[in-house]
Amino acid sequence: MRELTVDLGDRSYPIYIGEHLLDRFGETAVKHALPKKSPILLVSDAEVGPLYLPQASASLEAAGYTVATHTVESGEQAKRLDALGDIVTTALEAGLDRDSTIVALGGGVVGDLAGFAAASYMRGVRFVQAPTTILAHDSSVGGKVAVNHPLAKNIIGAFHQPEFVLYDTSTLRTLPPREVRSGLAEVAKHGLIMDRAFTEWVEANADRLLALDPEALAYALYVGCGVKARVVSQDEREGGLRAILNLGHTIGHALEAVAGYGELTHGEAISIGMCGSARLAVRLGHAPEDVYAATRRVLSRLGLPVALPAHFDTDAIMEAMMHDKKFRGGEMVFVLPKEIGVVDIVKGIPSSLVRDVVESLKQGESA
Amino acid sequence: MRELTVDLGDRSYPIYIGEHLLDRFGETAVKHALPKKSPILLVSDAEVGPLYLPQASASLEAAGYTVATHTVESGEQAKRLDALGDIVTTALEAGLDRDSTIVALGGGVVGDLAGFAAASYMRGVRFVQAPTTILAHDSSVGGKVAVNHPLAKNIIGAFHQPEFVLYDTSTLRTLPPREVRSGLAEVAKHGLIMDRAFTEWVEANADRLLALDPEALAYALYVGCGVKARVVSQDEREGGLRAILNLGHTIGHALEAVAGYGELTHGEAISIGMCGSARLAVRLGHAPEDVYAATRRVLSRLGLPVALPAHFDTDAIMEAMMHDKKFRGGEMVFVLPKEIGVVDIVKGIPSSLVRDVVESLKQGESA
């Protein structure tokens, strides 16, 4: 088992990464002094719940905990205010009190929804993240939790740090290949923003990662979570630095907004977005030309798209970017690579140049 | 204008109390550096909004702010999750960003709802309380914000401190007499828990308070807010001490839960509840007998009920108390007076004794 710490003073917490950790949930809960006389609520979704709720519950019950469960529909549409209300119904019926813990057992959607439930139930109870996807190695660290609103994603939420993150890598074996690739896009992102050597390692070990080799996967998640933890430790509430985690996300979110349902995964969208950021950086003279090629190479090796399908409407993408909550006062702000493993937050980028770059992403290879 | 400070380190904030302060909203916003390029959202209800939204908006606009407004239905039923969603709709349509401010202009319901919107919109934006009731002198200080769930009140919320509290006492003149009395119950509570001299002053000046004499009212709100601020400063997140603010609330909430709609105001319910706590304290030998008489006297002078109407079902009241979120692990915990102006948190009180006291409250005078 690997372990690392998110350093946030008296809100610091560990991330445990390894095989079969769900079987050790009970002992980990005891180690972290989760109170036994207050019920624990496990929240999962319709896909993950049937696979792992029994295992997690059994481990906690064997350690002497009372466990209740709540299962939400799978997919992004579960992140609704009324789904939060449903979790609270279950929590009240199960007798959860201020000393209770709410556990997110699943991917990023479950983490965000159950995390916001933990942040707001009785104005905040203990929270544990038990991610079951690769993508969630990103979202499960840092305490950002939220639900969506019909007009905007993640717009209603909180910062609520977990007691610990229990990352059972055995659960990743049931992931569909496309979800594996999607998750690896965030792994690659963590290298691209802060760790050149790790980026090269990902490129060299892409096949092992895609084959879910346990050792390679655990190492990649350890380094990926470590980058995220370092950034969050320095900027818990997104005052500045934390924005670098949005590399590829400005274009990526816009692509997700205009794409048809199921057309692009989050990882695919940010993969194209990271290629866009690299191109933008090269065009602005912010990064040397080979940064674009290197970005493209690692993402390609992971089986991720690096060009924009031609049928995407550039105007619609630009429109979606203008609505992104990351824009303040109409200015366009981007996270841009300076070199591989180093990024900057660059303000005042002309939208005409962004438009050119988005359009050029349809042409693939040439920058 | 009177001013006092809630001392919470880097989250400290002032409470301004005085006549015609809404006309100085703009200058106060500037003084507190609320950003001008981000829209401000004023949230009010159907009763208060038509009276004071134009005045508050005009002052802010004259100071150079862009103002949007949102009006919710009046009454407790506005504190719903979907009403939070509606505020977020308005906020998004008005272009509120991370530097925006959400203002609660109204009573406790508006404060709780708009406050939770401010706590969760984009994971937290600036918040200002502009209370327009006497009751809200209590809820507007301390940062507790929440909405209700069909199964429990205030169960989904946050701790979110305002930038400042702007308490325009001119707005209190439009309060119906029953609302005035209800609010004065919380004023009396602040004396009973922490300030014997103030309790005596309230008793001696009850007629001036009931007549809304501006000077008496401003003084009472200043002292009442001051007691609340002192308690909150010592225990922001309700770890222990803050529970003393619940004097009379355990029985009071149960009465509200079992009463028919509109039968008891919050102040009326806690007035009876505070009499119950005093009786309980005397029965347990925790307080001398005259504490019950003195409690009863100040509340009577304010025109508040001090006996339980005979048709209330004692079993239903006991049942409602058992469901109160303040109970941990089934134990009955009460805030009990030791003398006037001094209270303790007392655990392990037998429910049979509580039942006797509730029943005896129907008999009025004799303890």
Side-chain angles (χ1 to χ4, degrees):
Chain A
M1 186 180 78
R2 291 172 186 269
E3 179 179 341
L4 57 93
T5 301
V6 184
D7 189 3
L8 290 168
D10 60 2
R11 289 186 309 290
S12 295
Y13 55 93
I15 303 169
Y16 304 112
I17 302 170
E19 299 265 288
H20 309 299
L21 292 190
L22 285 182
D23 291 333
R24 294 162 63 184
F25 210 147
E27 66 180 87
T28 313
V30 170
K31 181 178 162 192
H32 284 272
L34 303 189
K36 282 196 185 172
K37 68 175 185 174
S38 300
I40 291 183
L41 177 62
L42 303 182
V43 179
S44 193
D45 72 20
E47 278 181 21
V48 174
L51 295 173
Y52 304 114
L53 274 176
Q55 190 184 348
S57 299
S59 174
L60 286 162
E61 282 165 355
Y65 288 95
T66 305
V67 177
T69 63
H70 182 93
T71 303
V72 302
E73 64 196 301
S74 66
E76 185 75 21
Q77 66 273 23
K79 281 173 60 176
R80 297 186 320 272
L81 267 184
D82 62 330
L84 168 69
D86 293 342
I87 292 177
V88 171
T89 304
T90 302
L92 285 166
E93 287 172 352
L96 266 75
D97 61 29
R98 288 172 193 209
D99 284 329
S100 282
T101 303
I102 295 179
V103 177
L105 178 67
V109 165
V110 167
D112 280 3
L113 173 61
F116 189 43
S120 54
Y121 182 70
M122 293 187 168
R123 299 194 181 87
V125 296
R126 289 175 182 80
F127 176 45
V128 168
Q129 287 268 21
T132 62
T133 66
I134 298 174
L135 200 58
H137 91 280
D138 181 51
S139 57
S140 67
V141 177
K144 280 174 72 174
V145 295
V147 296
N148 299 329
H149 178 279
L151 299 177
K153 284 178 73 169
N154 295 323
I155 201 76
I156 305 173
F159 290 90
H160 193 62
Q161 304 294 344
E163 302 296 308
F164 58 89
V165 179
L166 190 77
Y167 210 148
D168 184 342
T169 51
S170 326
T171 64
L172 305 176
R173 294 214 188 91
T174 46
L175 284 177
R178 196 176 176 197
E179 286 305 312
V180 170
R181 292 194 296 271
S182 180
L184 291 173
E186 292 279 5
V187 171
K189 183 197 77 178
H190 287 128
L192 289 168
I193 63 174
M194 240 187 194
D195 194 330
R196 180 184 198 110
F198 178 59
T199 306
E200 290 165 0
W201 181 91
V202 171
E203 192 183 329
N205 291 274
D207 290 339
R208 288 174 70 201
L209 291 170
L210 289 166
L212 297 171
D213 173 281
E215 207 180 310
L217 206 50
Y219 175 70
L221 294 174
Y222 175 74
V223 178
C225 287
V227 168
K228 178 78 183 263
R230 280 212 299 285
V231 174
V232 168
S233 296
Q234 289 171 66
D235 178 22
E236 183 180 5
R237 293 186 69 95
E238 216 161 22
L241 178 70
R242 192 159 171 167
I244 69 171
L245 296 168
N246 290 320
L247 177 69
H249 280 63
T250 302
I251 292 174
H253 281 157
L255 297 182
E256 287 182 275
V258 305
Y261 177 76
E263 188 176 356
L264 286 177
T265 64
H266 178 68
E268 288 164 355
I270 67 159
S271 177
I272 300 168
M274 289 189 281
C275 292
S277 302
R279 276 201 172 182
L280 201 49
V282 170
R283 293 266 180 107
L284 284 163
H286 191 80
E289 279 203 34
D290 60 358
V291 164
Y292 172 66
T295 300
R296 197 181 149 88
R297 209 162 54 230
V298 64
L299 296 166
S300 290
R301 287 282 287 121
L302 292 170
L304 290 159
V306 293
L308 183 62
H311 68 275
F312 272 78
D313 178 16
T314 304
D315 289 333
I317 294 167
M318 293 304 294
E319 179 71 14
M321 261 189 271
M322 296 301 182
H323 276 93
D324 193 295
K325 67 179 193 250
K326 279 168 205 79
F327 290 98
R328 292 193 186 211
E331 257 190 342
M332 296 200 83
V333 186
F334 269 84
V335 183
L336 296 184
K338 195 172 169 187
E339 51 190 87
I340 296 299
V342 182
V343 293
D344 291 310
I345 297 163
V346 182
K347 294 182 182 175
I349 296 180
S351 64
S352 57
L353 180 62
V354 177
R355 199 185 187 290
D356 282 357
V357 164
V358 169
E359 188 61 34
S360 79
L361 283 171
K362 296 181 184 172
Q363 283 130 48
E365 192 95 27
S366 62
Chain B
M1 186 179 78
R2 290 171 186 271
E3 179 178 340
L4 58 92
T5 302
V6 185
D7 189 3
L8 291 167
D10 60 2
R11 287 186 310 291
S12 295
Y13 55 92
I15 304 168
Y16 304 112
I17 302 170
E19 299 265 287
H20 307 302
L21 292 191
L22 285 182
D23 291 332
R24 293 161 64 184
F25 210 148
E27 66 180 88
T28 313
V30 170
K31 181 178 163 192
H32 284 271
L34 303 189
K36 284 197 182 172
K37 67 175 185 174
S38 300
I40 290 182
L41 177 63
L42 302 181
V43 178
S44 193
D45 72 19
E47 277 181 21
V48 174
L51 295 173
Y52 303 114
L53 274 177
Q55 190 183 349
S57 299
S59 175
L60 286 162
E61 282 166 355
Y65 288 95
T66 305
V67 178
T69 64
H70 182 92
T71 303
V72 301
E73 65 197 298
S74 65
E76 186 74 21
Q77 67 272 23
K79 281 173 61 176
R80 298 186 318 272
L81 267 185
D82 62 330
L84 169 68
D86 294 341
I87 293 177
V88 171
T89 304
T90 302
L92 285 166
E93 287 173 350
L96 265 76
D97 60 30
R98 288 172 193 209
D99 284 329
S100 282
T101 303
I102 295 179
V103 177
L105 178 67
V109 166
V110 167
D112 280 2
L113 173 62
F116 189 44
S120 54
Y121 182 69
M122 293 186 167
R123 299 193 182 87
V125 296
R126 289 176 182 83
F127 176 44
V128 168
Q129 287 269 22
T132 63
T133 66
I134 298 173
L135 199 59
H137 91 281
D138 182 51
S139 57
S140 67
V141 177
K144 280 175 71 174
V145 295
V147 296
N148 299 330
H149 178 279
L151 299 178
K153 284 178 73 169
N154 295 323
I155 201 77
I156 307 173
F159 289 91
H160 192 62
Q161 304 293 344
E163 301 295 308
F164 58 89
V165 179
L166 190 76
Y167 209 148
D168 184 342
T169 51
S170 327
T171 64
L172 306 176
R173 294 215 188 91
T174 45
L175 284 177
R178 196 175 176 198
E179 286 304 312
V180 170
R181 291 193 297 271
S182 180
L184 291 173
E186 292 280 5
V187 171
K189 183 198 77 178
H190 287 128
L192 289 168
I193 62 174
M194 241 188 195
D195 194 331
R196 180 183 199 112
F198 178 59
T199 306
E200 289 164 359
W201 182 91
V202 170
E203 193 184 329
N205 291 273
D207 290 340
R208 288 174 70 201
L209 290 170
L210 289 166
L212 297 172
D213 173 283
E215 207 180 310
L217 206 51
Y219 175 70
L221 295 174
Y222 175 74
V223 178
C225 288
V227 168
K228 177 80 181 260
R230 280 210 300 284
V231 174
V232 168
S233 296
Q234 288 171 67
D235 178 22
E236 184 180 6
R237 293 184 71 95
E238 217 160 24
L241 178 70
R242 192 158 171 166
I244 69 171
L245 296 168
N246 291 321
L247 178 69
H249 281 63
T250 302
I251 293 176
H253 280 158
L255 297 182
E256 287 182 275
V258 304
Y261 177 76
E263 189 177 356
L264 286 177
T265 64
H266 178 66
E268 288 164 359
I270 67 159
S271 177
I272 300 168
M274 288 189 282
C275 291
S277 303
R279 277 200 172 184
L280 201 48
V282 171
R283 294 264 181 108
L284 284 163
H286 191 79
E289 280 204 34
D290 61 357
V291 163
Y292 171 66
T295 301
R296 198 181 147 89
R297 210 163 52 229
V298 63
L299 296 167
S300 291
R301 289 282 288 122
L302 292 170
L304 289 159
V306 292
L308 183 61
H311 68 275
F312 272 78
D313 177 18
T314 304
D315 289 334
I317 294 167
M318 293 304 295
E319 178 72 12
M321 261 189 273
M322 297 298 181
H323 276 94
D324 193 293
K325 65 180 197 260
K326 280 167 204 85
F327 290 96
R328 293 191 187 212
E331 258 191 339
M332 296 201 81
V333 186
F334 269 85
V335 183
L336 295 184
K338 195 173 170 186
E339 51 188 88
I340 297 297
V342 181
V343 293
D344 291 311
I345 297 163
V346 181
K347 295 181 182 176
I349 297 181
S351 64
S352 57
L353 180 62
V354 177
R355 200 185 186 289
D356 283 355
V357 164
V358 169
E359 188 60 33
S360 79
L361 283 171
K362 295 181 184 171
Q363 285 129 47
E365 194 95 25
S366 61

